[in-house]
Amino acid sequence: MAVVACGTGRSTVDRALYTTSRLSTWQEPRPEGMLRVPRGSITMGTDSIDSIWGMPQVSRTVSVEAFWMDRHEVTNAEYRQFVQYVRDSILRERLADPAYGGDERYKRYENKSGEPIAPVLDWSIPLPREQRATEEELKAINSLYYTHPITGERRLDARQLLYRYEQYDHLAAARYEHLLRPRERNSTWHTPAPELPMISKDTAYIEPSGQVVRRQITRRLGSAYDFVNTYIVAIYPTEEVWTTDWPDASNATYQRRYFTHPAYDRYPVVGVTWEQATAYCAWRTMRYIQSNKIPEGQSVEPYRLPTEAEFEYAARAGNSHQHYPWSAEGMLDGEDCLCGNFMPAEGNYTADKHLITAPVGSYAPNSYGLYDLGGNVAEWTSSAWSLSALQGRDGINPVQEHSADRAGDYSAARKVVKGGSWKDIAKYVRANSRVMEYQDRPRSYIGFRCVRSLVIP
């Protein structure tokens, strides 16, 4: 007798009803560097009192749809690509600026059909090398760097590396967009149409002085553009975290070398805020669209930070009884080595064979094939912090997002951080552990990885 998994048989719906707009394939290609996490359910938190750590009994069963997740944290080398893209974008703008020579080759003013368009950067034109650059080109190149007055070291001017992007708030649009259509606003014939709601959106701009202004505006819903948020983010990592987080430690070498030296290419990027991590996701989405030559107007699932539920589900590999990414309780592998990069005892940072972070993938993956979901660096999630978050969530694809107003209560800028890091004891490496950090605070022990929602066949 054949055994069939429940609910996985082929649909017997009449296919003749659905032949007008079929896609050529339902198979979504695997995004580079990502693995598929299957849909499933998990009991988040803990359903019993933890006798070891004294954690209270707080739990909730949730279900998540399948999604793509990076195999490991975003590395220094990967994040440097983002920095270099922003640097080169600014340089191309300046090379086309009359103040720096006005070379119009670096911009396109027509599309492939010869029709006029708003000027865009032309990335097909190679940038000049400093050894062969003209005086105007050298002026443009040098404008992006500064020289330390004491050491003479020449470095990128991080203050100039601003990335501007826009994000359409699909969730808000799904809730309110129908209100823009008068006939749909009024569900009955005999009652007046409801007044359009007030909508809050994020906006950003640069003042003539060069100061970046980011604020939240509230106005009455007027068009679909009210769901478009604008951000301008300084994207260079804060290298000083190695000394500000550890004021009594001799970590100056990490501050100078960790992000820029090729020896640390495969190490997870740190010193990035939640805002910078979110900007990286937006940039990665844009590059995905460009590299795959996706036609204008065709939507794709964006890269984003995982929700708290997605992170915990992936870390536990869908098993509510698995407290660590590698097992239920133990912290040692078959060779009596630690299963991750964390601090097993006070002050003993090298028990895992590393002093600070470790190259990504240094330890065995969990059963989903994902690396470092416990230890190495703690990771930003998209979820807003709340002590009562588990009780107040929906049970399906739970999300708790909040856009903090910079002029408002700073406590609203707290985000959930998961996974624990190289500096943490085992308690914080547990999959159900959650801590918070403010979205604009970089740390030497917080990094991130990306996810993408999966189009289920």
Side-chain angles (χ1 to χ4, degrees), residues 148-162:
H148 194 282
I150 305 302
T151 66
E153 187 178 12
R154 182 173 181 258
R155 295 184 67 109
L156 271 172
D157 186 354
R159 297 168 300 176
Q160 298 187 53
L161 300 181
L162 303 176

Side-chain angles (χ1 to χ4, degrees), residues 21 40 61 75 113 169 217 244 246 290 304 340 349 362 364 414 426:
S21 61
T61 299
T75 65
S113 303
D169 190 340
I217 59 175
T244 55
W246 311 92
Q290 290 180 342
R304 56 181 176 82
Y349 290 94
S362 294
R414 295 177 296 179

Side-chain angles (χ1 to χ4, degrees), residues 125-138:
I125 306 300
L127 290 172
R129 295 185 178 182
E130 290 192 50
Q131 297 84 346
R132 299 182 180 181
T134 64
E135 184 176 345
E136 290 84 1
E137 291 170 341
L138 274 177

Side-chain angles (χ1 to χ4, degrees), residues 212-450:
V212 176
V213 177
R214 293 181 60 182
R215 64 191 185 96
Q216 193 173 88
I217 59 175
T218 300
R219 64 190 184 193
R220 197 163 300 284
L221 176 62
S223 74
Y225 287 100
D226 289 325
F227 304 121
V228 178
N229 298 303
T230 303
Y231 302 97
I232 299 175
V233 181
I235 54 92
Y236 199 87
T238 302
E239 296 170 302
E240 292 78 11
V241 292
W242 290 106
T243 50
T244 55
D245 284 348
W246 311 92
D248 299 321
S250 179
N251 288 344
T253 297
Y254 304 142
Q255 178 175 325
R256 294 196 308 269
R257 307 295 185 197
Y258 184 83
F259 179 63
T260 57
H261 199 283
Y264 290 103
D265 278 357
R266 292 288 297 167
Y267 285 68
V269 67
V270 296
V272 291
T273 66
W274 180 91
E275 295 167 351
Q276 291 170 322
T278 303
Y280 176 91
C281 293
W283 168 79
R284 191 170 171 184
T285 302
M286 181 270 294
R287 295 296 289 168
Y288 176 84
I289 291 172
Q290 290 180 342
S291 61
N292 288 279
K293 298 180 179 179
I294 295 174
E296 185 177 353
Q298 181 175 328
S299 65
V300 299
E301 291 299 325
Y303 290 88
R304 56 181 176 82
L305 296 177
T307 65
E308 180 181 4
E310 287 173 332
F311 190 97
E312 185 167 334
Y313 176 79
R316 287 178 154 183
N319 182 356
S320 300
H321 303 291
Q322 184 167 314
H323 300 307
Y324 296 96
W326 46 82
S327 71
E329 293 294 346
M331 291 175 284
L332 300 176
D333 62 17
E335 299 179 358
D336 288 335
C337 296
L338 289 173
C339 294
N341 181 13
F342 60 95
M343 184 179 65
E346 185 68 28
N348 188 1
Y349 290 94
T350 60
D352 50 28
K353 310 304 180 185
H354 299 278
L355 178 60
I356 54 168
T357 56
V360 297
S362 294
Y363 300 87
N366 72 356
S367 58
Y368 281 169
L370 302 167
Y371 293 90
D372 302 325
L373 286 168
N376 210 15
V377 292
E379 300 183 32
W380 291 111
T381 73
S382 65
S383 300
W385 171 265
S386 170
L387 287 173
S388 59
L390 289 182
Q391 290 93 338
R393 291 179 176 170
D394 286 329
I396 178 172
N397 296 324
V399 61
Q400 183 155 335
E401 295 183 357
H402 175 74
S403 182
D405 185 356
R406 295 207 162 219
D409 183 3
Y410 190 42
S411 65
R414 295 177 296 179
K415 304 296 181 183
V416 176
V417 176
K418 298 281 285 183
S421 75
W422 58 271
K423 73 166 187 65
D424 291 319
I425 59 176
K427 169 184 176 180
Y428 297 105
V429 178
R430 290 168 63 104
N432 61 2
S433 178
R434 59 197 302 267
V435 297
M436 74 84 182
E437 187 53 270
Y438 291 90
Q439 67 183 52
D440 61 346
R441 286 191 185 175
R443 295 294 187 185
S444 61
Y445 45 84
I446 298 180
F448 70 101
R449 75 180 73 205
C450 302

Side-chain angles (χ1 to χ4, degrees), residues 7 42 51 66 70 75 82 98 121 188 191 208 254 261 313-314 318 369 379 383 394 442 456:
I42 191 173
S51 59
D70 281 338
T75 65
F82 181 30
L121 295 177
T188 68
T191 58
Y254 304 142
H261 199 283
Y313 176 79
E379 300 183 32
S383 300
D394 286 329
I456 299 297

